[in-house]
Amino acid sequence: MRIIKDDLTGPEIKALLQSHLDDMYATSPPESVHALDVDALRQPEVTFWTAWLEDDLAGCIALKTIGSDHGEIKSMRTTENARGKGVASKLLSHLTAKATESGLTRLSLETGTEAFFEPARNLYKRDGFVECEPFGSYALDPNSVFMTKTLLR
């Protein structure tokens, strides 16, 4: 598997991100959907990576810098064909390494409370994330779980 910094112009990634947004709106109330669209992922404070198995898109992940030492994980998604193959774990490890290299000391994320999000919550827990209070501009929301992790240098 190769992981590359992506410019979000390929049709495969646009389709995966649209599928991600569709699932978020099908699963959570609109006011509880915090997923970013392609334009928001192209902002300077966001770095976006894709994972590829041969020539096939396998998944994506983004890091949004929200403070001098704090980053937020956004747009974590794997394709149907890549699920269960360790792609999400490798993307998360890649993002964590890049965040540490860039001087961040904390990573946080927001995910849903619904059963649909249970695999993601379990992945984050296995990686050392713990539940926390809302961070940044987030507010308490019964449909959101907030998690954070301190990065070791």
Side-chain angles (χ1 to χ4, degrees), residues 69 95-96 99-100 103-107 129 149-153:
D69 63 349
L95 180 144
T96 301
T100 302
L104 299 181
T105 59
R106 181 174 166 211
L107 282 177
F129 283 83
K149 174 182 174 176
T150 300
L151 301 179
L152 303 175
R153 292 183 175 215

Side-chain angles (χ1 to χ4, degrees), residues 1-6 12 48-61 82 85-88 90-91 94:
M1 180 175 66
R2 72 191 155 89
I3 298 174
I4 61 167
K5 189 173 175 182
D6 198 292
E12 306 97 329
F48 187 83
W49 293 276
T50 50
W52 298 81
L53 296 170
E54 302 292 326
D55 293 327
D56 296 323
L57 177 64
C60 62
I61 195 168
K85 296 181 180 174
V87 172
K90 289 177 183 167
L91 280 166
H94 181 83

Side-chain angles (χ1 to χ4, degrees), residues 68-90:
S68 62
D69 63 349
H70 191 187
E72 179 181 4
I73 296 172
K74 300 297 290 181
S75 301
M76 167 72 106
R77 180 75 173 200
T78 55
T79 62
E80 288 289 331
N81 291 341
R83 296 212 174 118
K85 296 181 180 174
V87 172
S89 293
K90 289 177 183 167

Side-chain angles (χ1 to χ4, degrees), residues 122-136:
N122 290 337
L123 170 71
Y124 296 128
K125 286 177 188 173
R126 283 192 308 272
D127 197 61
F129 283 83
V130 295
E131 290 190 25
C132 65
E133 295 296 314
F135 58 91

Side-chain angles (χ1 to χ4, degrees), residues 30-48:
E31 66 275 10
S32 296
V33 174
H34 304 287
L36 301 178
D37 64 17
V38 171
D39 290 335
L41 288 167
R42 286 192 178 124
Q43 297 306 304
E45 65 273 12
V46 178
T47 306
F48 187 83

